[in-house]
Amino acid sequence: MKMKQYLLECTPFAAMVIVECLDVGLTTLSKAAMSKKGMNHFIFVLYSNALATVILLPSSFLVNRTTRQPLSFSLLGKFFFLGLLGITIMQNCVFTGISYSSPTLGSAMSNLTPAITFVLAVIFRMEKLDVGSSISQIKIVGTVVSISGAFLVTFYKGAPIGSFQTRRSTLQPLVSLSAETGNWVIGGLFLVIATISLAAWNIAQAAILKGYPSQLTIVAFYCLFGTFQCAILSLIVVKDPSSWILSPDIELISIIYSAIFGSVVTFSVLTWCIDRKGPLFVTMFKPVGIAIAAFMSVVFLGETLHIG
């Protein structure tokens, strides 16, 4: 009995580590599809969430048909808001940022999520802040360090790691280096917006779960609304008709991976963990992705690691 209880307590931790690994795999695979095949990231987000909706929506009706609470217009409005935060804004900004920078920077910037989530949790009274408490002081210091580090990696791209890479970078034209740094900053700013949106999504979902605990229904409907929003956005910003056509190679693979592991699995696990452990818990695992992202970016994308 004790062993069963222990395993139940460990499950959220193991689930979040798996989610971080899946997330890094998604950003690396999508970066490869966008940089090597030229796939449009708006179309990528749209198609992957559309496929996820096709999987999730019927499942939510089958699984929760006897226990699901009735849906109201107010609740649907909240799902629409979740789709806006967690899909339309967050995902599009993430993949835009990664297209300008790298998956490693994306994982590094995600370390802002715990800090911003903590600030929002305090503002909305989900977290108590006692300045005299050592625990609160540690959280405050961690928040300041996280935000400072995020600005550092956004506005400063240091020298490449490794003698060969350093030598090669010194031979690059100044204009090329300037353009590369500019892209890095632009990518970082998009990733900051994505992180803020993700933190707000965590808080909003925790609040909704208190009044509507049907996790699969929440995930299915905000995927549905996010898909509609992304469809409208894509119709506005994507002018090239050929961008809507997928190649049966890494483009299709990345969309299937994103739909199944990036949306269905990840969103379901995050919602479940937020319901069990709260919004701050799911943000604690973001640092795990940095080392994984750095390794995969170098090995699979041939990218250069930099100091800072």
Side-chain angles (χ1 to χ4, degrees), residues 29-86:
L29 189 61
S30 62
K31 172 71 174 182
M34 292 172 194
S35 60
K36 296 181 180 180
K37 301 296 294 185
M39 182 173 61
N40 186 284
H41 59 271
F42 291 105
I43 300 299
F44 172 80
V45 173
L46 170 61
Y47 284 169
S48 60
N49 281 286
L51 180 56
T53 302
V54 170
I55 298 172
L56 285 167
L57 202 57
S59 302
S60 69
F61 283 101
L62 290 174
V63 173
N64 299 321
R65 58 184 176 182
T66 58
T67 59
R68 187 181 64 249
Q69 300 176 17
L71 297 172
S72 62
F73 284 108
S74 173
L75 196 57
L76 291 174
K78 293 176 182 178
F79 294 162
F80 182 90
F81 184 63
L82 282 179
L84 180 66
L85 289 175

Side-chain angles (χ1 to χ4, degrees), residues 215-292:
Q215 301 161 8
L216 188 57
T217 301
I218 293 175
V219 175
F221 273 93
Y222 76 64
C223 269
L224 175 65
F225 286 123
T227 299
F228 285 146
Q229 294 164 9
C230 289
I232 296 172
L233 179 63
S234 298
L235 287 171
I236 295 172
V237 300
V238 180
K239 305 299 183 182
D240 185 6
S242 63
S243 298
W244 295 80
I245 303 173
L246 293 178
S247 301
D249 46 26
I250 192 172
E251 291 186 4
L252 184 59
I253 293 172
S254 63
I255 285 176
I256 294 174
Y257 180 98
S258 176
I260 296 175
F261 297 107
S263 294
V264 175
V265 175
T266 297
F267 284 160
S268 299
V269 171
L270 287 175
T271 303
W272 179 74
C273 287
I274 288 173
D275 189 33
R276 286 180 61 90
K277 295 290 187 178
L280 288 178
F281 173 81
V282 299
T283 65
M284 291 166 48
F285 294 84
K286 287 300 178 183
V288 175
I290 296 179
I292 303 171

Side-chain angles (χ1 to χ4, degrees), residues 16 19-20 23-24 107-114 198 202 270 281-291:
M16 285 307 305
V19 162
E20 287 303 316
D23 187 55
V24 172
S107 293
M109 294 300 293
S110 67
N111 282 322
L112 266 178
T113 307
L198 177 59
N202 286 330
L270 287 175
F281 173 81
V282 299
T283 65
M284 291 166 48
F285 294 84
K286 287 300 178 183
V288 175
I290 296 179

Side-chain angles (χ1 to χ4, degrees), residues 4 7 85 91 122 162 191 199 208 221 239 252 283 301:
K4 183 179 180 180
L7 291 175
L85 289 175
Q91 290 189 10
V122 171
L191 291 168
I208 292 172
F221 273 93
K239 305 299 183 182
L252 184 59
T283 65
L301 299 179

Side-chain angles (χ1 to χ4, degrees), residues 80-123:
F80 182 90
F81 184 63
L82 282 179
L84 180 66
L85 289 175
I87 295 177
T88 308
I89 297 177
M90 191 271 286
Q91 290 189 10
N92 281 298
C93 284
V94 163
F95 292 114
T96 301
I98 289 173
S99 67
Y100 277 103
S101 55
S102 73
T104 305
L105 181 62
S107 293
M109 294 300 293
S110 67
N111 282 322
L112 266 178
T113 307
I116 298 174
T117 303
F118 172 69
V119 172
L120 292 176
V122 171
I123 293 173

